[in-house]
Amino acid sequence: MEDKKQKNSSISSVKPLDMLPEELGWRLRVFDSLSFPTLILKPSGMIVAANKVFLEKYSVSQGKIVGMACHEIFYNSPDSCSPSHCPLPKILTECTGHSMLERVAKGDGYIYEDRVFSPILNDEGKVDYIIESIRDVTRTKVLEKELTGIKEFVARVVQSSASAIIAADTNGKILLMNRAAKDLFGYKYWSLSDDLVAADLYPPGEARKIMEKLRNEKRGPIGKMPSSNVTIRTSQGEDVPAEMSAAIIYEGKDNKEVATMGIYNDLRERLRVEKELKETQIKLAQSEKMASMGQLAAGVAHEINNPLTGILFYSSLLQEKITTEDPMFEDLSYIIEDVNRCRDIVKSLLAYTRQSNSVQRIIHMNELVEQSLTLIRDQKVFADIELEKNLAETMMIVNVDTNQIAQVIINLVMNAVDAMDGTGHLLLKTYKDMAAGQAVLEVSDTGHGIPEDLLLKIFDPFFTTKKQGKGTGLGLSNAIGIMHENEGDLVVKNSGRNGTTFKITLPLFDVTEDPNILGNADTAELFTNT
Ligand SMILES: Nc1ncnc2c1ncn2[C@@H]1O[C@H](COP(=O)(O)OP(=O)(O)OP(=O)(O)O)[C@@H](O)[C@H]1O
Ligand SMILES: [Mg+2]
């Protein structure tokens, strides 16, 4: 009833423009020439007037629209909108303008309208009318959405990068840390609110050096640091080698510095592989050298062996012909002794070139150690040496040439004894390295140690630091050859002033490899005893 009355009064208020007072006519012209569809509403939401653009857009006549409620025209609904949706109640109480963004179905899709409500106040400051302008903001909205999409995509790219990415503002405060960076630097739960600064990510002075490089023209364009090796510091205080490239981020027409960003890659794995490669190359060069030395040694050994036998034979013959009192007897003893020593060297050389036949046996590692010790432990040199055996109780079966391996163990033990100069502590320790599938023997002494620059040389044939006539220098080169031939290895585990530990490894024998093994009386005993 009330609406009806209002409708009639508003219809009657719409008069031909030329009949209106000049002031009102001017205002209506302004209203009509607005380029946005615009309505004038009563505080009740009833439409009082619509401008030309509105009438055209909604294909409706002024006569029809005046007196309708806004929800009837916009939502084709007889019911007024809920207070949470309709801004009119707010405009009436606050007497200020409001806007709302509306998604409106159009054709198969949607358009976005920005509806701006501006109150027209009367002399008492109360809302008499409300102007509602409708602006199509679909294009802006679509661009906004696309931009958000691009932003989210870039954020996802940054987050999923395998390289660590970090950005900091001009004060060094960390603004961004992707997942890889959180892992690398150990700040798993970092968030923007944390007080983390760039300097915390490096050892002291390193951040400053990076900033200097970034601004150094000689190192490339200013504001860019090409890939460089740096040291970073994790949250646990561990210093880690990393490869880093960095850039300053500029903004605006005046190219103002706003942030710095760094991309990091952990170098630990690469350095480890490079080190291994270098070691392998050294070993390869060493084994090549040993192979050629071996050929040479084999030739020399063969050539020398026959004349030596002759010298030994004739000098022994001469000695037999004279009495022990004869002044020549002692001289001949020296000749025989030295010839025997030469024959030992020849024997070693032949062993070094692997000219002897190998005898493969399945044996417990501890047994091998015990057998080797029995061969030498009665020697005088052991008198003042404290021997400790720490042999693993687990089963450690190896399939090796036992004579050869015993030779290796004897050489390691004799070297240790020599290094201790007759007094000290000798430890033989065996254990099983499950992860590597190896049986391990460590021979540790409390001797003088090996200087660092000799660590690789000691494996060279004929390298010895022992007095002339004491060592041939073939022991370790022989030993390493034997170990490789038995698919094992020999390394210096550590050496220093307090002594040296040599470590030999042999592959554990897999019983399932030879199902007949338990049927063999000798070897079956091995498995039952352990
Ligand atoms: N346990 C050790 N402590 C200190 N130095 C060692 C030890 N073992 C070996 N060396 C060093 O390595 C060198 C080479 O050893 P290697 O066994 O090859 O020859 P050698 O013992 O001198 O002679 P040979 O074994 O032929 O009698 C030794 O001369 C010594 O300088
Ligand atoms: Mg030796």
Side-chain angles (χ1 to χ4, degrees):
M1 188 64 189
E2 173 64 18
D3 263 9
K4 198 83 184 161
K5 233 164 91 193
Q6 276 186 350
K7 190 175 176 176
N8 291 338
S9 73
S10 28
I11 290 169
S12 60
S13 70
V14 180
K15 296 174 190 162
L17 291 180
D18 54 1
M19 288 172 71
L20 292 168
E22 198 183 330
E23 173 86 349
L24 186 58
W26 178 80
R27 287 187 187 184
L28 281 176
R29 260 188 215 102
V30 170
F31 177 57
D32 249 354
S33 52
L34 287 175
S35 49
F36 304 121
T38 307
L39 293 173
I40 297 181
L41 307 172
K42 280 267 190 187
S44 63
M46 195 189 77
I47 299 168
V48 176
N51 73 348
K52 229 165 143 184
V53 188
F54 190 99
L55 298 175
E56 277 164 18
K57 186 177 176 213
Y58 289 85
S59 311
V60 65
S61 70
Q62 187 80 259
K64 192 170 174 213
I65 199 170
V66 170
M68 281 175 83
C70 55
H71 50 85
E72 288 176 312
I73 191 93
F74 288 124
Y75 306 111
N76 200 17
S77 157
D79 306 318
S80 31
C81 304
S82 72
S84 62
H85 180 75
C86 179
L88 289 184
K90 243 193 213 162
I91 296 167
L92 295 181
T93 48
E94 293 169 11
C95 299
T96 53
H98 279 277
S99 71
M100 63 187 267
L101 186 73
E102 198 66 355
R103 197 170 76 147
V104 183
K106 189 176 181 190
D108 289 342
Y110 289 95
I111 61 162
Y112 288 90
E113 288 180 353
D114 186 22
R115 297 186 184 164
V116 183
F117 297 82
S118 317
I120 302 174
L121 305 180
N122 60 21
D123 293 343
E124 286 143 30
K126 293 259 162 54
V127 178
D128 255 359
Y129 296 97
I130 297 135
I131 301 179
E132 179 181 359
S133 305
I134 300 154
R135 281 191 306 144
D136 186 341
V137 289
T138 312
R139 172 125 190 84
T140 320
K141 258 316 217 193
V142 168
L143 283 175
E144 215 174 75
K145 247 181 138 182
E146 275 174 12
L147 199 66
T148 315
I150 291 169
K151 266 192 191 163
E152 281 170 3
F153 178 71
V154 171
R156 272 205 301 277
V157 169
V158 169
Q159 277 308 328
S160 42
S161 159
S163 297
I165 300 176
I166 288 182
D169 68 14
T170 46
N171 295 320
K173 182 176 175 358
I174 303 299
L175 301 175
L176 178 145
M177 236 191 192
N178 73 346
R179 240 170 272 143
K182 288 180 184 176
D183 287 348
L184 175 60
F185 286 84
Y187 291 97
K188 204 171 163 201
Y189 301 105
W190 173 84
S191 78
L192 194 55
S193 58
D194 293 343
D195 271 343
L196 188 66
V197 291
D200 297 335
L201 305 177
Y202 307 94
E206 186 86 5
R208 196 172 41 81
K209 270 197 246 159
I210 293 169
M211 287 316 284
E212 276 168 13
K213 280 187 194 168
L214 264 171
R215 297 198 164 88
N216 187 343
E217 256 176 287
K218 287 181 200 149
R219 293 187 164 264
I222 288 195
K224 297 224 176 334
M225 185 182 85
S227 179
S228 314
N229 286 4
V230 297
T231 305
I232 59 161
R233 183 164 284 184
T234 67
S235 61
Q236 287 84 37
E238 187 193 350
D239 288 348
V240 173
E243 185 186 49
M244 176 193 188
S245 49
I248 296 176
I249 301 169
Y250 300 97
E251 212 175 74
K253 280 187 198 144
D254 52 349
N255 264 350
K256 200 173 160 234
E257 271 186 34
V258 286
T260 336
M261 67 159 297
I263 302 176
Y264 308 77
N265 286 306
D266 191 344
L267 278 185
R268 279 174 293 193
E269 182 60 12
R270 198 194 299 172
L271 291 178
R272 192 188 61 75
V273 173
E274 277 173 8
K275 192 170 163 235
E276 260 176 28
L277 195 69
K278 213 168 157 192
E279 281 171 7
T280 313
Q281 280 169 343
I282 292 172
K283 275 190 185 166
L284 199 67
Q286 196 182 332
S287 59
E288 275 170 8
K289 194 164 72 182
M290 280 170 68
S292 52
M293 285 297 287
Q295 281 170 357
L296 187 75
V300 173
H302 275 300
E303 287 304 310
I304 288 178
N305 216 15
N306 289 346
L308 281 182
T309 315
I311 298 169
L312 186 65
F313 176 73
Y314 287 111
S315 46
S316 306
L317 208 65
L318 270 178
Q319 212 182 25
E320 276 169 27
K321 284 186 181 161
I322 55 176
T323 62
T324 49
E325 277 75 42
D326 193 307
M328 276 190 11
F329 190 90
E330 201 181 340
D331 295 346
L332 281 168
S333 298
Y334 287 134
I335 293 176
I336 291 167
E337 195 180 311
D338 278 352
V339 169
N340 273 326
R341 181 164 157 65
C342 287
R343 277 165 59 98
D344 283 349
I345 294 174
V346 166
K347 246 204 277 171
S348 297
L349 282 171
L350 288 173
Y352 170 67
T353 55
R354 248 26 86 234
Q355 302 259 319
S356 45
N357 292 337
S358 72
V359 192
Q360 206 77 7
R361 253 191 81 196
I362 289 162
I363 187 165
H364 195 299
M365 185 74 171
N366 292 351
E367 176 73 14
L368 201 49
V369 173
E370 295 282 15
Q371 278 180 12
S372 314
L373 281 179
T374 334
L375 294 172
I376 48 170
R377 66 182 312 163
D378 293 334
Q379 293 191 23
K380 272 191 285 178
V381 286
F382 274 92
D384 293 323
I385 290 194
E386 195 188 330
L387 173 67
E388 182 189 344
K389 282 184 288 178
N390 182 352
L391 305 183
E393 281 169 17
T394 48
M395 184 161 80
M396 287 190 295
I397 307 300
V398 290
N399 185 11
V400 292
D401 183 326
T402 48
N403 288 342
Q404 284 188 344
I405 304 297
Q407 196 182 324
V408 173
I409 298 173
I410 289 170
N411 183 56
L412 293 183
V413 170
M414 293 315 287
N415 280 352
V417 169
D418 288 344
M420 292 187 286
D421 227 359
T423 43
H425 184 92
L426 175 67
L427 169 67
L428 279 98
K429 179 176 165 191
T430 59
Y431 59 93
K432 196 171 182 174
D433 182 344
M434 283 300 286
Q438 289 171 333
V440 186
L441 163 68
E442 287 182 6
V443 180
S444 308
D445 61 60
T446 53
H448 52 62
I450 305 166
E452 210 177 322
D453 55 324
L454 297 188
L455 277 174
L456 280 174
K457 286 197 182 135
I458 56 167
F459 293 100
D460 283 353
F462 303 108
F463 176 83
T464 180
T465 55
K466 292 173 189 172
K467 271 190 254 149
Q468 220 180 352
K470 183 117 197 335
T472 62
L474 282 170
L476 285 178
S477 62
N478 221 342
I480 204 161
I482 289 174
M483 292 315 297
H484 289 167
E485 211 167 279
N486 286 272
E487 287 165 22
D489 206 357
L490 163 65
V491 291
V492 179
K493 190 181 171 194
N494 53 55
S495 186
R497 272 197 204 149
N498 299 329
T500 306
T501 299
F502 276 88
K503 174 175 163 182
I504 67 170
T505 48
L506 282 168
L508 284 167
F509 179 71
D510 184 359
V511 188
T512 53
E513 259 179 33
D514 187 352
N516 297 325
I517 199 104
L518 293 172
N520 176 322
D522 275 358
T523 46
E525 192 188 346
L526 264 178
F527 299 99
T528 47
N529 286 348
T530 47

